[in-house]
Amino acid sequence: METPNEAVPAPSSFLRDTMIEDLKSNKYGGRVHTRFPPEPNGYLHIGHAKSISINFGLAKEFGGKCNLRFDDTNPSREETEYVESIIRDVHWLGGDWEERLFYASDYFPQIHAWAVQLIKAGKAYVCDLSAEEVRQTRGTLTEAGRESPYRNRSVEENLDLFESMRKGEFPDGARTLRAKIDMASPNLNMRDPVMYRILHAEHHRTGKQWCIYPMYDFAHGQCDSIEHITHSICTLEFEDHRPLYDWYIEQLGIYHPQQIEFDRLNITYTVLSKRKLLTLVKDKFVRGWDDPRMPTISGMRRRGYTPEALRSFCGRIGISKTNGTTELSLLEHSVREDLNRRALRVMGVLRPLKVVIENYPEGQVEQMEAVNNPEDPSAGTRAVPFSRELYIEQEDFRENPPRQYYRLSPGHEVRLRYGYFITCTGVVKDAQGQPIELRCTYDPATRGGNAPDGRKVKSTIHWVSAAHAVEAEARLYETLFTKENPNDLEEGQQFTDLLNPNSLEVVEGCKLEPSLANALPGVSYQFERLGYFCADPDTKPGHLVFNRTVALRDTWAKIEKKTA
Ligand code: ATP
Ligand code: MG
């Protein structure tokens, strides 16, 4: 693996303040040790990027450590493909776990031994109620639960039954191991929660070695304890689980990490539930987990988002104790800001319209000097061929221009970027009356884009020399959902009903300047006036494919709206 990216910046927050306090009071012997604990049941998404930036970022800031730990206690939904994708994505984001890559499943023997310890202490019992009966007897927020009739089994009987569970003597769901806490607790999580369940399933790492699996609450804190985590940072929905987290650790008398909760990231026009993302993939609403419309790290990478942009976004959103929703535009702003600094400028025409410059010598080719990146003089310049036949954008011509339309129209003069001033003298149309070719003249005195007589043109448009152009397919994206909050459903509505039918537009036959002929997948460019584009892995020799990462926010777009 190549070396990870630069440090993940940590947003300022109460999490940092807690760590500073704990370091001051020497609570953990001056250590900061966090972990990022994904469940390998899907690909990572932008919400995970927030958690990664917090866990790895804070550890780095305090000279501490952050582990990557797979929370693989649920064999029925987990797969090796997910493990591999997660490793790739955390690494790409700059998270560095050094040699500390762990799996909860590696600790199954220890967690099992701790379950036995709790049985022996009279703190856990085997319960024969079905999952449904456990639910029914749990009570409600206002009503205490009912004690299980199996609650007062002897330690010997419990040990014996738990051992039979482990040996596979009972079918799935026949029995559970439950903690003996308090069926009247105001916190439902404390009402004799299930610790172990029977599941005859093949695990991606332990195979058929186990047919009982610990529940999240009886695994997570135990793993944290084994790894000597100091701050176990998780999202707010686990706040009500913290008393249980603490109870298990106190009953076992083992090293005690501190669970701290922060707000989950939500983004407008986006779903971030893995279950929903899985539906989009399985039911083929998108082309895969790495479809550039997906809020997954792999989708964003394919679309052309950079790790720097995602880290800067995570630094901007802040961390709080209440859940909210972040504007998608803030994410796009971070992406633009980063790409503006680094992406080379090029010219490409998405929907070509032929231009013939009648007074330009046939067969002549000039190399025009174009700036590679105005934000970075060290990026230098390149030569762009200019000739008699060019392509311009269909949108940059109107036969009957509305008011304030300053681009090309009959009798009007515009500047070709890095080229010449040209004036439209005629329009060739097809049988339907659509322009298929423009006849123009150029002013040889305006080479490079300025008139010696000082006359001005109001518009500069991009172009590509027809004979030199390389062809490409462009994939243009809109939001995946039409509704700002696609989690807010009306009765009878499914979240997939809110999918945007125009989220992907494939434009074939684009014409790009020849410097793009060998564009490599993953490299970003700014197509002048059109946005940032990134070559897609579908690119093959002779068939370029570009994803539009994000459009430019520029005056052109505004004029277009006014005149549309
Ligand atoms: P889901 O509920 O969609 O299945 P999850 O929280 O169960 O997501 P995990 O793989 O368990 O997904 O998450 C790993 C870590 O990432 C956890 O610590 C979790 O709190 C954090 N995380 C997941 N989603 C978000 C989010 N939207 N914002 C911030 N952190 C998140
Ligand atoms: Mg989870």
Side-chain angles (χ1 to χ4, degrees), residues 127-255:
C127 177
D128 301 0
L129 297 180
S130 67
E132 186 49 36
E133 288 164 330
V134 169
R135 216 180 347 263
Q136 281 169 5
T137 51
R138 194 190 287 138
T140 62
L141 283 174
T142 50
E143 223 178 294
R146 270 176 287 138
E147 293 190 350
S148 162
Y150 307 99
R151 199 172 197 260
N152 296 313
R153 276 181 163 147
S154 68
V155 168
E156 288 65 35
E157 194 183 358
N158 281 320
L159 285 174
D160 190 49
L161 282 169
F162 189 51
E163 180 59 7
S164 298
M165 281 170 64
R166 190 191 65 77
K167 282 200 202 134
E169 290 173 15
F170 307 122
D172 287 0
R175 289 183 164 84
T176 55
L177 181 72
R178 296 177 69 181
K180 195 169 179 176
I181 310 180
D182 179 6
M183 288 308 290
S185 169
N187 184 337
L188 269 68
N189 294 305
M190 301 298 278
R191 295 184 186 172
D192 290 12
V194 173
M195 295 167 60
Y196 262 93
R197 67 215 161 108
I198 302 171
L199 202 63
H200 294 267
E202 181 128 1
H203 187 280
H204 73 113
R205 283 177 68 83
T206 58
K208 294 199 163 144
Q209 204 180 325
W210 296 89
C211 64
I212 54 171
Y213 290 93
M215 303 300 288
Y216 173 89
D217 286 318
F218 190 63
H220 202 85
Q222 286 47 54
C223 297
D224 286 342
S225 182
I226 292 169
E227 294 176 13
H228 275 243
I229 299 303
T230 56
H231 302 83
S232 175
I233 301 168
C234 62
T235 38
L236 281 173
E237 69 272 23
F238 291 102
E239 202 164 12
D240 290 345
H241 294 241
R242 186 171 2 110
L244 182 55
Y245 182 102
D246 292 338
W247 188 88
Y248 282 134
I249 284 179
E250 278 156 22
Q251 298 305 315
L252 292 169
I254 56 180
Y255 168 83

Side-chain angles (χ1 to χ4, degrees), residues 19-70:
M19 288 182 177
I20 292 172
E21 279 305 304
D22 292 346
L23 285 170
K24 255 193 228 152
S25 66
N26 211 29
K27 185 167 171 191
Y28 300 103
R31 292 182 312 118
V32 168
H33 199 151
T34 57
R35 83 287 170 265
F36 173 64
E39 183 179 352
N41 61 349
Y43 279 56
L44 296 185
H45 53 61
I46 182 75
H48 294 111
K50 175 176 180 177
S51 176
I52 289 167
S53 122
I54 290 172
N55 281 295
F56 283 96
L58 287 172
K60 176 120 194 163
E61 183 181 337
F62 292 106
K65 294 172 180 166
C66 180
N67 298 352
L68 175 59
R69 182 205 309 146
F70 286 99

